[in-house]
Amino acid sequence: MLDTDIRLEWFVSFLAVIDTGSFVAAAESTRRSQPRVSQHVAALEREIGQPLFDRKKRPVRLTEAGAALAVQARNVLQALEEAESAMAPWRGGALGMVALGSYPSVSAAFVPDLLRDLADSEPDIRVVLSERATLELDDALISGDVDLYLRPMLPRPVSESVTCLPLWREPLVVVHAEDHPLDLVPDPVPLHEVAVHPIVSIGRLDAPETSEFETYQVFRDQGLVIEPVQATNQPQTLVSLVARGIGVGVTNWLAAKTADTTGVRVRTLAGAPERGVAVCWDSTRPLNPAARIVLKEISERAVPEGTIRIPNKSAARKHVPLPR
């Protein structure tokens, strides 16, 4: 029989094993040791008097008792989060804090005006900016390090719980050094003319998900295969590598716009390939009132110059109305 002395952290560890498929992965996602996670699940099993997992299966599988408890455990934790959210407006005169994730080009082209306007209109909200690479932002959301984050719509988030609201689309551009052979190619520059040169791309060379970025997809769509000589998530680094003759850069418009492009040319690509950008959150975690205000502001404000707003009826990973 479960009593009121049961610890919420047991539920957290228990649900983490379900969501990740193993005790080891659950330990990583909750930032606990694997023995600690095992102890929490064992404590729950003692209280229930039944095994919650069939440990002979790989990945581990829930027993019938475990499946029944999982539903209630999620309800308990969600109720606790909703209670916390309801109390936020009364905490120390401040509406709340929001951890906002972003990646470099959007941090430079969109976030500063957003933060300035929020400081004027919502002085009781404190926004903490967390700037990371796109793939790192996905992990930050799932781990709870950020409440909301801005990211390219490709590659798609791995977790099904991530909900994305499309914001804008922007052109992909080619960046090459002055006096480069591409100078002789008229605008817009065909992709096959770019593909014959060493490529500097966005992302990380050692991350398999990098190949899912739009810069790779547009080449694949035309039957072209590229093997970048270097990749970076920093716009200025990409431009500097191009200026030093490392290769030809293919990146998004905002990345080129926010960098010092001295010594290089930024040019349009034939076929007008684009990148989509969205704001995302975890649909399994209630947003506190402050985060909902920030999300609404992001969704309604003007998009950066040189980009095109995506109508809200368009869908990304999963599109639902803004949380209330």
Side-chain angles (χ1 to χ4, degrees), residues 8-279:
L8 292 175
E9 62 179 343
W10 297 353
F11 282 162
V12 173
S13 293
F14 168 55
L15 294 175
V17 175
I18 298 172
D19 294 338
T20 63
S22 76
F23 285 78
V24 173
E28 293 177 355
S29 69
T30 59
R31 299 186 179 181
R32 293 169 176 161
S33 67
Q34 191 271 326
R36 188 73 168 171
V37 170
S38 297
Q39 289 168 8
H40 290 170
V41 173
L44 270 177
E45 290 177 325
R46 285 194 299 271
E47 289 289 328
I48 296 293
Q50 294 286 332
L52 299 175
F53 292 101
D54 182 350
R55 292 170 173 79
K56 297 178 182 178
K57 305 291 186 180
R58 289 293 182 273
V60 293
R61 296 182 184 177
L62 283 170
T63 61
E64 289 186 7
L69 181 63
V71 174
Q72 302 308 319
R74 292 191 194 278
N75 290 341
V76 168
L77 294 182
Q78 182 171 345
L80 183 64
E81 290 184 359
E82 289 174 352
E84 170 64 21
S85 296
M87 294 300 100
W90 289 274
R91 292 189 183 281
L95 187 56
M97 183 176 74
V98 180
L100 175 65
S102 181
Y103 59 98
S105 61
V106 166
S107 293
F110 181 76
V111 170
D113 287 343
L114 169 69
L115 297 186
R116 179 199 60 199
D117 294 345
L118 282 170
D120 291 339
S121 63
E122 304 289 345
D124 290 335
I125 294 178
R126 181 187 176 202
V127 180
V128 178
L129 178 62
S130 178
E131 186 179 86
R132 310 187 188 192
T134 298
L135 302 179
E136 295 171 349
L137 287 169
D138 292 337
D139 294 336
L141 181 71
I142 299 306
S143 67
D145 289 345
V146 299
D147 300 303
L148 307 166
Y149 69 126
L150 296 150
R151 79 182 305 284
M153 290 164 61
L154 292 178
R156 298 184 185 280
V158 174
S159 174
E160 290 291 339
S161 70
V162 177
T163 298
C164 294
L165 177 69
L167 298 173
W168 70 77
R169 62 181 190 269
E170 59 184 282
L172 294 178
V173 296
V174 59
V175 184
H176 64 76
E178 295 175 351
D179 300 323
H180 188 274
L182 285 178
D183 267 337
L184 303 177
V185 178
D187 288 329
V189 181
L191 283 170
H192 71 267
E193 295 281 4
V194 177
V196 300
H197 299 284
I199 301 294
V200 178
S201 180
I202 55 175
R204 286 195 350 236
L205 291 182
D206 61 347
E209 298 91 344
T210 294
S211 64
E212 298 175 28
F213 278 100
E214 295 95 337
T215 48
Y216 291 75
Q217 184 64 50
V218 294
F219 285 98
R220 286 198 297 270
D221 288 346
Q222 294 199 14
L224 301 169
V225 178
I226 59 170
E227 293 291 341
V229 294
Q230 197 51 261
T232 177
N233 289 296
Q234 296 294 333
Q236 192 59 61
T237 301
L238 183 142
V239 170
S240 297
L241 291 171
V242 169
R244 300 301 190 278
I246 302 299
V248 172
V250 180
T251 189
N252 55 300
W253 158 250
L254 288 181
K257 179 179 181 291
T258 56
D260 178 0
T261 54
T262 303
V264 303
R265 293 185 61 191
V266 179
R267 303 174 62 195
T268 58
L269 287 164
E274 294 178 325
R275 154 185 277 193
V277 175
V279 57

